[in-house]
Amino acid sequence: MTDREPAFTSPTDIAAGNMRAIACSAGTAYLGPSEREKLRRILQGTVASMTAGNLAAMYDLGLEHDRLYQKPLAQFHDLILAPGTRVAALKAFIEQQLPAGRPDYIKALFIEAAARQLGERWVQDSCDFIGVTIGTARLQDLIQAFAIETRNPIGPTKRPFAALITPLGEQHTLMSFLLGLLFDTLGWARTIVEPGPKNAAMLATAVKQADVVCIGWSNSRLAGEFQDLVTQIRSLRENTSPPLIAGGVAALNSLDFLVEIGIDCVCDSVYSAARISQSLYEFEKQTIQASDTGRTALIRSSRIDWLPHGTP
């Protein structure tokens, strides 16, 4: 891919280009109208599935692995940690410096990549606690600024709804807000429910109308609170419990525990969580299959790993 190439080329355009190349080399006299239409359908169907697979694999890896975003991410990281940086400057950077022609959800994936790199710098001791704290706060404010512009008002058309929740005591809510922004760009309705007894009514309302529930969990010491939250969610929807998707550092380190309590999917990125939610009807079939066979789906990269319940 060159720097000037559009981010996405539709399968229809690709198929049309292939047909033009065939016509130039073989001559249109070799193909009648019906044959050309048949060829177009074959090419379009093949390219569509290939494109979807390639896009899924690329975005699950993270934008930091795409050379088009490596330089902007490095510059953005310096800006996040620079003294006195305001949210308006971060927002303007993303709007002006990212490659043109990308869909809105690329903004969310770009912020996720920046947050992931910030965490890596913390682990590698190249960024101190104060820097990480300030950088995280700035990213959360940035997400809120984009969300105000992106969220659609409730209209007459029913949209899929996601409830984004964290267990009681969870202090790391950045990814919940980032996932909320990603859902906004995909046209979903969503609610972020802060943990705590004072939000019990909001939790009940969100769960009762949710098509999917995403639970962010980063602190492994909150395993008991996580399980209490799952029990509460199921009590609110006894007969029609929505799919439960977990994500976060603690979730990825607690697969056996999550399998035992019946979590439907564990995702390793906000893109994975949004992608599986976007394919809701397919996901529903997968949860039925998991229920029938006693298995849980672990969603990572572009594949699904099935884990048996009660895995030792």
Side-chain angles (χ1 to χ4, degrees):
M1 179 183 290
T2 65
D3 291 349
R4 295 184 181 180
E5 183 178 351
F8 300 91
T9 302
S10 72
T12 302
D13 292 339
I14 296 173
N18 288 335
M19 285 190 64
R20 284 193 295 271
I22 292 172
C24 289
S25 61
T28 56
Y30 289 100
L31 294 174
S34 62
E35 287 81 4
R36 288 199 299 271
E37 176 62 20
K38 181 178 180 180
L39 177 60
R40 184 192 65 78
R41 288 197 302 269
I42 292 173
L43 288 173
Q44 182 174 336
T46 302
V47 173
S49 60
M50 290 174 60
T51 303
N54 290 337
L55 290 178
M58 181 181 73
Y59 290 144
D60 270 312
L61 287 173
L63 292 189
E64 64 267 39
H65 299 286
D66 186 327
R67 66 178 183 81
L68 289 179
Y69 297 94
Q70 289 175 357
K71 182 178 179 180
L73 275 170
Q75 295 172 336
F76 186 69
H77 220 274
D78 292 339
L79 190 59
I80 293 173
L81 299 176
T85 298
R86 296 184 178 274
V87 172
L90 297 175
K91 187 171 180 289
F93 180 93
I94 290 180
E95 291 173 338
Q96 297 170 11
Q97 299 300 321
L98 293 192
R102 272 57 175 176
D104 284 342
Y105 62 76
I106 293 297
K107 297 175 182 177
L109 299 185
F110 184 84
I111 297 173
E112 181 190 22
R116 190 159 42 239
Q117 289 183 332
L118 187 63
E120 290 171 355
R121 290 186 63 174
W122 163 254
V123 171
Q124 297 167 0
D125 289 330
S126 60
C127 184
D128 60 23
F129 176 77
I130 295 177
V132 170
T133 302
I134 293 175
T136 301
R138 287 172 175 169
L139 288 178
Q140 187 149 321
D141 288 343
L142 175 63
I143 293 167
Q144 294 281 56
F146 276 124
I148 291 173
E149 295 181 354
T150 308
R151 295 192 72 176
N152 296 319
I154 300 299
T157 303
K158 185 181 185 303
R159 295 179 289 160
F161 181 86
L164 312 180
I165 306 171
T166 51
L168 182 64
E170 180 63 64
Q171 296 181 334
H172 301 284
T173 58
L174 178 66
M175 289 303 158
S176 293
F177 283 92
L178 185 54
L179 181 56
L181 176 61
L182 191 51
F183 276 123
D184 290 341
T185 64
L186 296 173
W188 280 57
R190 52 82 174 180
T191 294
I192 297 175
V193 183
E194 297 281 357
K198 65 179 180 179
N199 292 323
M202 180 184 294
L203 175 65
T205 300
V207 169
K208 287 178 181 178
Q209 62 180 312
D211 293 300
V212 62
V213 174
C214 298
I215 308 175
W217 180 29
S218 67
N219 188 341
S220 58
R221 290 177 293 181
L222 300 177
E225 288 80 356
F226 185 97
Q227 187 165 5
D228 290 342
L229 176 59
V230 170
T231 301
Q232 186 177 6
I233 291 170
R234 288 184 173 140
S235 70
L236 294 169
R237 292 271 297 269
E238 293 181 1
N239 299 323
T240 58
S241 180
L244 301 181
I245 299 177
V249 176
L252 292 173
N253 291 330
S254 308
L255 295 180
D256 294 347
F257 167 70
L258 297 179
V259 166
E260 290 173 1
I261 66 175
I263 292 297
D264 297 292
C265 287
V266 183
C267 297
D268 57 1
S269 70
V270 295
Y271 177 72
S272 294
R275 177 162 58 87
I276 198 65
S277 299
Q278 183 75 354
S279 304
L280 187 59
Y281 292 109
E282 179 183 351
F283 178 77
E284 286 294 283
K285 295 177 183 178
Q286 292 168 351
T287 54
I288 292 173
Q289 180 183 357
S291 177
D292 291 342
T293 60
R295 296 185 297 171
T296 290
L298 169 61
I299 309 298
R300 64 167 78 239
S301 299
S302 57
R303 71 178 191 273
I304 299 175
D305 294 332
W306 291 99
L307 305 175
H309 286 180
T311 301

